[in-house]
Amino acid sequence: MSGASSTVTAQRVFTNRVNETTAFSRSWEGLHEALDAAEISPVADRLQGRRNVLTFYGVGGIGKTTLSQELERRLLAEAAAEDRDDVVSVRIDVSEDGACDLEGMLLRLRAGLGQLGSRWPAFDLALASYWARAHPGEPLQEFLDASPAVRRASRSIGLGEQIAATVGQVVPAGAGGLVGLAHHAALATYRAIRERVREGRLLSECDLFAELVEADADYETLSYFPYLLAWDLERQPRRGRAGHRPQACVFLDTFEVLGNRADRTVEQFVQRCVYLMPNVLFVITGRNRIDWADHATHGELDFTGPECWPNLHFSNTTAEPRQHLVGYLSDSDADSYLREAITRSGEPAMPGEVRERIIAGGQGLPLYLDLSVSHFVERLAREGQPSADHFGGSFTAVATRSLRDLPREERDLVRTTALIDRVDADMLRAGQPALPDGCVARFLRRPFLTHDDAYAMPYALHLALRLAVSEADRALPDGWSDHDRSRVAARLLRRLGEPLGDGAGRVATAQALESGLKLSGAHGVFDDWMVWAAQRLVEAGQWTHLDAGLTDGAAGSPEYRAVRTAIRGVKLRRSGRAPEAVAVLNGAEEGLAPSGLTAQLVRLHRAHALRNTGDYTSAADLYRGLVEGEFDAAARYWLCDHAYLNGRFAAALETLRGQHGRDAADEGERLRLIGHVWRVNARFDEATGVYTEAIALAREEGLASAEAKALANVAQTACWSGETATVSEAANRARELLDVVSNPVELVKVRSAEAVAAALADDPATARNAVADTRRLADGIGYRGGHNLADVAEILLHALAGDHDGARRTRSHLDERTRTSGGNTYWVPIVTSWIDGPDAAAEYHPEVDWVDGPGPALRRWAEVTGLR
């Protein structure tokens, strides 16, 4: 450090924790002996208690991460010494941003296990089925390359190629669709896999495989995929003369991050992974004892109680693997560490009296010893032999001395690093723009920084040191005030958002937003890029885990709290709990500037929630307030939709014709809404033409959901023209896509179209069944508009049968329902044209602005049925 030649040598030392390393060895050997001796594999028998979790817990700075890393190093070194290639490990620090994203975690597990061989058919085929539906248009390879941690793990074994090869053996034509080709190839792959599963020709011996392929493509389904990995692992060929079974160990570090969350959804997913992979040893390190064996966690987690985790119960003190409290180092071990950490000509460089002061103050805390060694080296370089008086004291005192040892510029860099989970040189320069590059480079070589190039920002301070630095800094003459911290945090926050241009991937966006929200909640700073990032992730359907683990943020600004509330509202609305979403979002604008971007975000999602509850009028009021604001395009589209719902057809058409979508998905929505206007005006040729254009656009862009919607609309149009073959073809094609990209609202529309087609084809029994199905499907998802479609088909059946009283009774229900919701009122004059003729029908809802007047429109509707 002094730059001069010296006989002093500093080196990293691992103080041998005999009990812990012995526990690991016994756990590793015992797990595989039990697997070899089992009459029924615990992978197949999911009721067996799990004995595959070894836990080390203790206070921050006690050396849990170092212990975990050393256990992994020894495991792999011993396997290499025995020339074994059937032992692999996977390391995940769950505190890192994005580390607990379930997709990324499972792909890191799959990449780690992929070192054992390239064939993992159950997992890879199920993943292909999931990916085609959950990520329409996004090649898997793009996702694999987006996160540094996933990219490094996947590239080491060619994960994308492995998965493509597995899929290609089953569906050669679709092999590229998952990894990098057009979305329709991926969908074709899914359909082919699904059909082979239904016919019992694909992995029928793998329990759960068929269920998981058929299930909805969401995180709930994905959280059971570890079972498939365990099943595939069990079928890997044994190796070597001894016939060893392939063995895997997963190290989960900083686990307290999950246990400390009020919402334990992420921990629930991780626990499922551990439970469903009983043939893998999981080594969990964290500050807290895990409580999975406690019955009190029932309802928060799936697998709870000593029956599920017999070795994790507090009463178990002998059987491995189990839970171990990581204790402080003994005085003897601490002295050995200090003697070996820094030497002069092979002898301890640190005098005995200095070691005694450090041992007395640190009481065996390894991080305390590390900082003391760094302080000793600094003193040695500056002043010669340090005095014992310079050592000892509390952990905060040691942190204070370590800060004082640094030049002023580097003290500011430490303070900057303590504000955020991870940094790189660019982030540090953003936080301290006045410092030269050389100062930043020197700081990054400091021994108290950890480095892991699996992450885009590879440097970090130990969490305990981050907290100690914040406390110690207040005692220094040049310490930062809260205002100083907020100013630097604001610069860091801006830097986090800089890479998030139009080309930024979902993973990078989600990780930046997660880091940004933590900074915002802790230091009262905010930046508008977080609003755009949240909206982008919501639009992409990636909203499920955004609010997990975020605290209320004691220093959080109103904008921070509003974004968190908006994300929660989206989560409620998308999960079918729109009334709860409205209640949550109602007070979210408190303290915000009415014209601010965050307030507009809240209003936009409150409007969406109101619309989902059927309150179109209140939703429209909010959309109007967003016109000419940041969400102008979305507001104008939904106002056009409201105009259409209320029969202001000419106004809706004029606005829609003057617009163009921001992207292919938006343009498809615009085309479809134009088609809706033509359809309810009985201008069926124009409607079909626009819907056909929307279908072509969706196919070109690989937008399966948009194509399914447009096909359902074609069926809704063709049914009024008596084109039963067209209805059947469009309905079948829509259902194929909806089997891939679930959208139950469109299934309601398809079934109502089939009801109309059957009624006009003089098949009342089939029509009645279809009407009943329409109502049942609508009730199942809380879709009130589905009953409007069912009423229309039912009124048609009554009218065709000459039952005008029955038709009028149903019309009365339809009129009441549409008036209450503030939309779809145009259906009342339409059905009246079948009962009382077009002239009488014009008297109902005269405010409806038919595109070419009420007379022509209602005559067309009357002629459609052949009744007038």
Side-chain angles (χ1 to χ4, degrees):
M1 287 184 175
S2 67
S5 60
S6 173
T7 58
V8 175
T9 303
Q11 55 196 0
R12 295 197 178 276
V13 178
F14 176 77
T15 301
N16 192 13
R17 290 182 175 272
V18 176
N19 291 339
E20 289 82 357
T21 53
T22 300
F24 175 77
S25 298
R26 289 177 57 196
S27 299
W28 180 253
E29 295 166 3
L31 173 65
H32 296 292
E33 287 173 0
L35 291 171
D36 287 334
E39 294 183 10
I40 301 176
S41 164
V43 175
D45 183 0
R46 295 189 297 278
L47 295 180
Q48 285 187 30
R50 289 347 199 188
R51 294 174 170 83
N52 63 325
V53 180
L54 176 64
T55 302
F56 297 110
Y57 66 100
V59 299
I62 200 69
K64 299 180 296 296
T65 296
T66 302
L67 171 64
S68 175
Q69 292 168 340
E70 178 67 12
L71 293 176
E72 181 182 25
R73 187 197 66 77
R74 292 187 183 193
L75 173 70
L76 298 179
E78 289 172 8
E82 297 174 11
D83 199 25
R84 290 183 58 180
D85 62 355
D86 57 355
V87 175
V88 298
S89 70
V90 179
R91 170 169 295 279
I92 299 174
D93 183 348
V94 299
S95 70
E96 303 295 351
D97 292 341
C100 289
D101 174 72
L102 191 58
E103 291 172 342
M105 180 177 285
L106 283 181
L107 286 167
R108 288 174 71 177
L109 287 174
R110 167 63 179 86
L113 293 175
Q115 300 171 73
L116 296 171
S118 61
R119 281 193 50 78
W120 301 80
F123 180 85
D124 289 355
L125 293 173
L127 179 69
S129 303
Y130 165 86
W131 200 265
R133 296 174 291 158
H135 296 275
E138 180 183 356
L140 174 63
Q141 192 62 53
E142 287 184 9
F143 182 88
L144 293 176
D145 291 340
S147 164
V150 177
R151 180 171 63 245
R152 186 173 71 170
S154 66
R155 284 184 177 178
S156 65
I157 62 154
L159 179 57
E161 292 80 0
Q162 281 192 6
I163 295 174
T166 300
V167 175
Q169 291 175 5
V170 177
V171 193
L178 178 69
V179 177
L181 297 183
H183 181 53
H184 61 78
L187 293 178
T189 296
Y190 166 66
R191 293 192 192 106
I193 292 172
R194 182 196 59 194
E195 289 308 311
R196 292 191 63 177
V197 167
R198 289 180 177 177
E199 294 167 5
R201 295 187 293 124
L202 186 62
L203 293 173
S204 57
E205 71 278 17
C206 177
D207 192 19
L208 294 187
F209 178 75
E211 286 184 57
L212 293 174
V213 167
E214 297 277 2
D216 291 342
D218 55 23
Y219 271 25
E220 183 72 21
T221 296
L222 193 66
S223 66
Y224 289 95
F225 277 33
Y227 165 78
L228 303 177
L229 275 178
W231 190 88
D232 284 327
L233 174 61
E234 197 163 58
R235 281 152 186 78
Q236 293 294 313
R238 291 177 178 253
R239 305 184 184 186
R241 296 177 182 174
H244 292 295
R245 67 168 59 241
Q247 300 170 350
C249 187
V250 176
F251 295 87
L252 299 178
D253 196 20
T254 331
F255 203 74
E256 71 271 8
V257 170
L258 300 187
N260 290 341
R261 292 178 172 179
D263 179 356
R264 301 184 74 173
T265 302
V266 177
E267 185 180 1
Q268 181 183 39
F269 289 156
V270 173
Q271 192 211 43
R272 285 180 192 166
C273 177
V274 177
Y275 190 89
L276 294 170
M277 299 184 74
N279 51 351
V280 171
L281 180 65
F282 286 82
V283 178
I284 297 177
T285 45
R287 293 193 176 192
N288 307 317
R289 173 184 172 275
I290 60 176
D291 58 0
W292 298 352
D294 301 346
H295 284 298
T297 58
H298 183 69
E300 295 180 305
L301 303 173
D302 294 322
F303 305 103
T304 59
E307 300 83 6
C308 293
W309 309 98
N311 285 14
L312 298 184
H313 196 254
F314 64 86
S315 62
N316 174 38
T317 58
T318 55
E320 298 290 357
R322 59 189 175 93
Q323 306 215 55
H324 294 262
L325 174 63
V326 179
Y328 293 86
L329 296 178
S330 68
D331 288 353
S332 174
D333 283 342
D335 189 56
S336 296
Y337 174 87
L338 295 174
R339 291 169 64 91
E340 296 174 23
I342 182 165
T343 61
R344 176 185 285 115
S345 302
E347 295 298 320
M350 191 178 289
E353 62 271 20
V354 172
R355 298 199 305 270
E356 289 174 6
R357 287 290 297 269
I358 294 173
I359 292 168
Q363 299 181 347
L365 183 68
L367 185 57
Y368 183 102
L369 304 181
D370 285 341
L371 291 177
S372 297
V373 168
S374 294
H375 180 54
F376 182 88
V377 171
E378 291 282 355
R379 287 273 179 182
L380 189 66
R382 288 202 313 263
E383 305 169 6
Q385 191 66 39
S387 164
D389 294 338
H390 297 141
F391 298 89
S394 68
F395 184 75
T396 301
V398 174
T400 303
R401 285 197 292 264
S402 297
L403 272 175
R404 283 183 177 145
D405 286 339
L406 300 173
R408 168 61 191 267
E409 295 82 1
E410 291 192 42
R411 281 202 295 275
D412 286 341
L413 288 171
V414 170
R415 293 158 176 151
T416 300
T417 307
L419 296 178
I420 191 169
D421 289 345
R422 304 201 71 87
V423 297
D424 60 5
D426 288 339
M427 183 63 71
L428 289 174
R429 282 191 286 266
Q432 298 297 325
L435 296 185
D437 289 351
C439 181
V440 173
R442 284 193 300 275
F443 172 73
L444 291 177
R445 293 194 292 269
R446 289 289 181 180
F448 48 70
L449 285 172
T450 62
H451 179 271
D452 188 343
D453 61 8
Y455 300 95
M457 292 190 289
Y459 298 95
L461 285 176
H462 190 288
L463 179 59
L465 183 54
R466 286 173 61 191
L467 297 174
V469 164
S470 297
E471 183 180 350
D473 189 37
R474 301 179 190 278
L476 295 176
D478 64 344
W480 282 0
S481 66
D482 288 340
H483 180 64
D484 292 329
R485 290 185 182 85
S486 292
R487 282 191 305 169
V488 176
R491 293 198 289 265
L492 298 178
L493 190 60
R494 282 194 297 274
R495 170 60 193 164
L496 278 172
E498 285 176 7
L500 301 182
D502 292 339
R506 177 185 65 81
V507 173
T509 301
Q511 291 181 6
L513 181 58
E514 190 173 345
S515 289
L517 288 170
K518 288 179 182 177
L519 267 176
S520 182
H523 300 288
V525 294
F526 193 80
D527 201 289
D528 282 349
W529 70 259
M530 293 193 290
V531 176
W532 290 118
Q535 180 64 9
R536 180 178 176 186
L537 293 169
V538 166
E539 288 175 346
Q542 304 299 329
W543 44 267
T544 51
H545 70 286
L546 280 180
D547 63 337
L550 290 177
T551 65
D552 289 336
S557 64
E559 289 81 5
Y560 163 82
R561 291 191 290 272
V563 168
R564 288 189 62 244
T565 304
I567 293 170
R568 185 180 171 210
V570 170
K571 193 171 184 178
L572 289 168
R573 175 169 61 87
R574 293 284 184 89
S575 59
R577 297 155 65 186
E580 291 180 57
V582 172
V584 163
L585 293 167
N586 272 340
E589 290 183 60
E590 184 178 349
L592 300 177
S595 60
L597 181 61
T598 312
Q600 294 179 58
L601 176 78
V602 171
R603 287 199 292 275
L604 178 69
H605 288 291
R606 186 150 59 97
H608 291 346
L610 286 165
R611 189 179 181 280
N612 281 18
T613 64
D615 189 351
Y616 300 118
T617 303
S618 298
D621 289 341
L622 288 172
Y623 290 133
R624 289 188 195 97
L626 294 169
V627 170
E628 297 186 358
E630 297 293 344
F631 298 103
D632 177 83
R636 289 183 186 276
Y637 171 81
W638 289 110
L639 284 173
C640 283
D641 181 78
H642 185 256
Y644 149 71
L645 289 171
N646 282 273
R648 298 192 298 276
F649 301 129
L653 275 180
E654 181 181 359
T655 303
L656 288 166
R657 285 169 170 167
Q659 291 180 344
H660 285 286
R662 294 168 296 172
D663 51 31
D666 268 5
E667 180 62 11
E669 291 293 323
R670 185 185 74 89
L671 291 170
R672 288 179 52 251
L673 188 49
I674 292 173
H676 298 348
V677 173
W678 290 128
R679 173 164 53 87
V680 297
N681 277 270
R683 299 273 287 266
F684 302 126
D685 289 342
E686 290 96 328
T688 300
V690 179
Y691 290 142
T692 301
E693 188 179 347
I695 290 171
L697 177 62
R699 286 179 180 167
E700 181 181 348
E701 297 292 332
L703 301 174
S705 178
E707 183 181 350
K709 291 179 182 179
L711 284 166
N713 298 148
V714 167
Q716 287 182 291
T717 306
C719 68
W720 297 109
S721 303
E723 302 172 25
T724 54
T726 302
V727 172
S728 179
E729 180 185 359
N732 288 336
R733 286 166 57 199
R735 282 196 177 95
E736 284 184 5
L737 289 170
L738 292 170
D739 211 14
V740 176
V741 283
S742 178
N743 189 336
V745 169
E746 302 308 314
L747 289 173
V748 174
K749 295 176 182 177
V750 167
R751 197 64 179 126
S752 71
E754 290 173 330
V756 169
L760 291 177
D762 197 22
D763 187 355
T766 299
R768 288 192 201 94
N769 286 336
V771 168
D773 284 348
T774 301
R775 296 193 190 282
R776 177 179 54 79
L777 290 169
D779 284 337
I781 59 172
Y783 174 42
R784 298 181 185 180
H787 283 283
N788 297 338
L789 299 175
D791 285 346
V792 170
E794 188 172 322
I795 292 168
L796 177 63
L797 277 168
H798 286 306
L800 290 171
D803 180 9
H804 286 187
D805 288 340
R808 290 188 177 97
R809 282 194 299 272
T810 307
R811 181 184 64 185
S812 177
H813 297 317
L814 176 64
D815 193 15
E816 181 181 0
R817 187 182 295 108
T818 54
R819 286 180 188 273
T820 300
S821 68
N824 294 306
T825 53
Y826 49 77
W827 279 118
V828 175
I830 289 174
V831 300
T832 301
S833 72
W834 308 333
I835 304 168
D836 302 316
D839 294 336
E843 298 176 7
Y844 284 85
H845 294 290
E847 72 279 2
V848 174
D849 182 18
W850 304 95
V851 290
D852 51 2
L858 293 172
R859 278 195 293 275
R860 285 193 296 272
W861 273 114
E863 290 167 1
V864 158
T865 65
L867 294 171
R868 298 282 172 178

